[in-house]
């Protein structure tokens, strides 16, 4: 199975987090379920504020999306500002846009303050136009983002060519606020910092049930019980068990392959500025370099099913189209992860009981948003003030036809990868 174990990030991660088994029953102010960016940011915030906090992770820290992603630390969501306002209303929309505009700075500050070993590169990102239509979308985004004060820059086709070292693009939108990280290093570093601030980090300890009675939550695991005044469920697309609070979303698979380190003469001509990239294609492609000069390239698709050979063959063709000099470069690692996509692409915070919140649905943009949402959820619960939350809290969130929609997206990605490189 090309799951987490074949991930480049697992192979190259230099951060370690000490985790202790749950040997005793615990009583804390805040229990956090899930050790991704959201849960670790919440635990760090709570511990720093002096609250007692325990984070329970079913597998290892970073087992979910946080250990598998592309590592693009972007400002904002997928949606352009006008769509965020249309979905949330002007006031809540503007608030979220402003919060996420500074989210990459929060991530890079946390990395610096805590000495997190995750190869941060703050050289911006390039959203690349794969077609004339894609360029029109970028022009629209540029106008809307500039109007919010974002320092984004629209690049012509020759400029995009110089920045990427590829002749494949019609133009690009450059965002200097953004950058790249080693994603697993960042989440492990957050957990290490949380433990340093006093949080109890417990791995390999799935929460099996949670119940509220007389003002206190009881979380049961195979290893013991945690009692807490407040709970944050940050399990997103990797939720397991706990059926009553299971988040609803369409699971979208996204795979990546890494080349072997590029020879210096080839590497110098590819992304010389070190930006992270993704394109405007319907079935999007992303690519970036890591610190050793490997090109990490990915697209939508599930490597764990029959489409694996189709997706791999497509990556080879795509690589040759973008960079003919890489046509024969070996691909040494391949892995995939699951994205929680909501229908309107807005993350959802739901109240799953008294003083208990769940969040999911970053829809492929969770590094900076997850860090900010985790912090604000912890602050809101500990200060008993839900007005601080980044999106309005719902009492319930349900979606229809999630299985069918997942099958539709996967079949579409496989079909496109079977027949085309350009869309
Ligand atoms: C392949 C891929 C590429 C992506 N690329 C980017 C990108 O470039 N930029 C970006 O911003 N975002 C990206 N994303 C999205 C981003 O990775 C996620 O939005 C983010 O990691 C979500 O973090 P999280 O903490 O909410 O959840 P996760 O990191 O998924 O963590 C949830 C954790 O909860 C644990 N858990 C589940 N159930 C239980 C239980 N019962 N008890 C205890 N623990 C439990 C799981 O084991 C898991 O570790 C990508 C996602 C994928 C999959």
């Amino acid at each position: 199975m090309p799951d987490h174990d074949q991930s480049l990030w697992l192979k190259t991660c230099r951060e370690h987090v000490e985790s202790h088994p749950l040997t005793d029953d615990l009583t804390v102010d805040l229990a956090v379920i899930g050790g991704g960016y959201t849960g670790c940011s919440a635990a760090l915030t709570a511990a720093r504020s002096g609250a007692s906090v325990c984070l329970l992770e079913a597998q290892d820290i970073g087992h979910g999306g946080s250990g598998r992603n592309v590592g693009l630390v972007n400002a904002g969501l997928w949606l352009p500002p006008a769509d965020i306002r249309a979905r949330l209303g002007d006031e809540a929309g503007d608030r979220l846009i402003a919060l996420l505009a500074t989210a990459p700075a929060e991530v890079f500050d946390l990395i610096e303050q805590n000495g997190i070993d995750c190869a941060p590169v703050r050289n911006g990102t390039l959203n690349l136009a794969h077609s004339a239509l894609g360029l029109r979308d970028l022009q629209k985004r540029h106008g809307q983002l500039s109007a919010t004060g974002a320092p984004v820059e629209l690049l012509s086709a020759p400029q995009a060519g110089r920045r990427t070292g590829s002749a494949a693009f019609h133009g690009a939108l450059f965002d200097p606020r953004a950058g790249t990280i080693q994603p697993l290093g960042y989440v492990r570093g957050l957990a290490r910092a949380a433990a340093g601030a006093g949080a109890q980090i417990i791995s390999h300890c799935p929460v099996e049930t949670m119940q509220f009675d007389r003002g206190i939550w009881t979380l049961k695991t195979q290893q013991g019980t945690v009692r807490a005044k407040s709970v944050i469920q940050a399990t997103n697309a990797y939720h397991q068990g706990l059926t009553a609070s299971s988040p609803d979303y369409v699971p979208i698979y996204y795979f990546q392959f890494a080349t072997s380190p590029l020879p210096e003469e080839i590497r110098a001509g590819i992304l010389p500025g070190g930006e992270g990239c993704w394109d405007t294609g319907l079935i999007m492609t992303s690519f970036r370099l890591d610190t050793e000069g490997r090109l990490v390239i990915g697209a939508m698709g599930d490597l764990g099913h029959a489409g694996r050979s189709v997706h791999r063959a497509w990556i080879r063709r795509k690589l040759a189209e973008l960079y003919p000099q890489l046509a024969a470069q070996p691909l040494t690692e391949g892995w995939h992860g699951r994205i929680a996509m909501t229908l309107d692409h807005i993350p959802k915070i739901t109240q799953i009981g008294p003083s208990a919140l769940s969040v999911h649905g970053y829809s492929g943009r969770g590094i900076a948003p997850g860090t900010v949402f985790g912090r604000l959820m912890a602050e809101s619960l500990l200060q008993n003030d839900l007005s601080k939350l980044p999106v309005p809290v719902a009492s319930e969130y349900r979606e229809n036809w999630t299985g069918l929609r997942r099958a539709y997206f996967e079949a579409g990605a496989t079909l496109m990868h079977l027949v085309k490189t350009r869309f």
Side-chain angles (χ1 to χ4, degrees):
M1 258 298 268
D3 208 11
H4 203 199
D5 56 339
Q6 288 174 40
S7 146
L8 173 70
W9 308 135
L10 201 58
K11 179 173 156 184
T12 60
C13 189
R14 291 194 300 252
E15 270 288 346
H16 296 283
V17 50
E18 273 202 32
S19 162
H20 301 283
L22 183 61
T23 46
D24 252 334
D25 290 352
L26 290 177
T27 300
V28 289
D29 295 318
L30 176 67
V32 178
I33 309 172
Y37 304 130
T38 311
C40 293
S41 166
L44 175 61
T45 304
R48 279 205 177 142
S49 76
S52 54
V53 54
C54 167
L55 183 152
L56 297 153
E57 162 56 47
Q59 315 275 341
D60 286 308
I61 295 295
H63 168 80
S66 301
R68 305 164 187 248
N69 62 67
V70 182
L72 305 178
V73 186
N74 278 311
L77 299 173
W78 282 115
L79 297 171
D83 294 28
I84 297 178
R85 283 192 204 99
R87 283 156 171 82
L88 289 177
D90 285 351
E91 201 185 319
D94 280 336
R95 199 169 149 255
L96 183 61
I97 291 163
L99 257 178
L100 296 184
T102 55
E106 184 167 330
V107 169
F108 288 110
D109 286 351
L110 278 170
I111 291 169
E112 198 176 319
Q113 283 160 21
N114 296 290
I116 298 178
D117 194 348
C118 66
V121 178
R122 204 172 174 186
N123 290 354
T125 50
L126 293 166
N127 190 1
L128 297 157
H130 76 297
S131 66
L133 200 66
L135 184 58
R136 280 205 287 285
D137 179 48
L138 294 185
Q139 285 161 343
K140 194 180 82 182
R141 284 174 184 263
H142 177 252
Q144 291 184 20
L145 285 164
S146 300
T148 69
V152 287
E153 195 186 331
L154 201 57
L155 306 182
S156 65
Q159 285 172 320
R162 281 194 291 278
R163 299 281 274 268
T164 55
S166 169
F169 301 106
H170 293 239
L173 187 61
F174 173 62
D175 190 337
R177 300 169 296 178
T180 59
I181 53 170
Q182 208 283 19
L184 182 60
Y186 175 52
V187 69
R188 283 189 183 168
L190 279 181
R192 174 177 59 71
Q200 307 207 44
I201 305 291
I202 297 167
S203 307
H204 300 284
C205 189
V207 177
E208 295 186 336
T209 62
M210 52 187 280
Q211 261 183 340
F212 186 75
D213 187 29
R214 280 168 285 179
I216 203 95
W217 284 97
T218 303
L219 277 57
K220 291 220 162 116
T221 77
Q222 293 273 331
Q223 298 167 24
T225 296
V226 175
R227 291 190 176 75
K229 289 182 202 148
S230 301
V231 175
I232 291 176
Q233 177 181 286
T235 51
N236 205 35
Y238 284 81
H239 185 90
Q240 67 177 72
L242 297 169
T243 43
S245 56
S246 189
D248 231 1
Y249 59 87
V250 178
I252 299 287
Y253 283 81
Y254 195 90
F255 65 87
Q256 295 179 86
F257 283 95
T259 66
S260 54
L262 306 180
E264 192 44 48
E265 65 281 7
I266 292 185
R267 178 181 169 166
I270 294 177
L271 293 171
E275 299 93 340
C277 303
W278 77 102
D279 73 11
T280 52
L282 186 60
I283 303 291
M284 181 195 113
T285 309
S286 59
F287 56 96
R288 54 162 295 184
L289 290 167
D290 81 342
T291 43
E292 305 303 314
R294 300 175 182 91
L295 192 83
V296 184
I297 179 165
M300 197 192 290
D302 176 353
L303 292 188
H305 84 323
R308 175 183 171 78
S309 54
V310 173
H311 296 312
R312 192 185 166 96
W314 177 81
I315 278 289
R316 282 250 67 105
R317 297 200 306 277
K318 186 76 189 176
L319 206 52
E321 177 206 310
L322 291 176
Y323 297 109
Q325 63 274 41
L326 299 187
Q329 191 71 26
L331 296 172
T332 48
E333 285 84 23
W335 70 101
H336 69 188
R338 205 158 57 229
I339 291 172
M341 190 76 75
T342 59
L343 195 55
D344 63 3
H345 297 191
I346 300 274
K348 307 297 171 199
I349 297 183
T350 47
Q351 178 118 36
I352 51 174
S355 201
L357 298 172
S358 172
V359 62
H360 78 280
Y362 298 111
S363 302
R365 269 288 171 92
I367 300 178
T371 304
V372 170
F373 274 53
R375 172 175 63 77
L376 289 173
M377 286 168 75
E379 287 174 5
S380 301
L381 287 174
L382 294 170
Q383 295 164 19
N384 201 15
D385 176 7
L386 297 193
S387 69
K388 281 177 160 262
L389 290 172
V391 289
V393 65
S395 54
E396 196 185 24
Y397 179 75
R398 290 286 154 229
E399 289 200 5
N400 293 323
W401 310 110
T402 50
L404 257 182
R405 279 156 58 213
R406 179 233 182 294
Y408 169 79
F409 284 121
E410 184 54 40
T414 306
L415 198 63
M416 285 214 183
H417 288 169
L418 193 62
V419 296
K420 282 180 161 185
T421 51
R422 272 173 183 271
F423 312 108

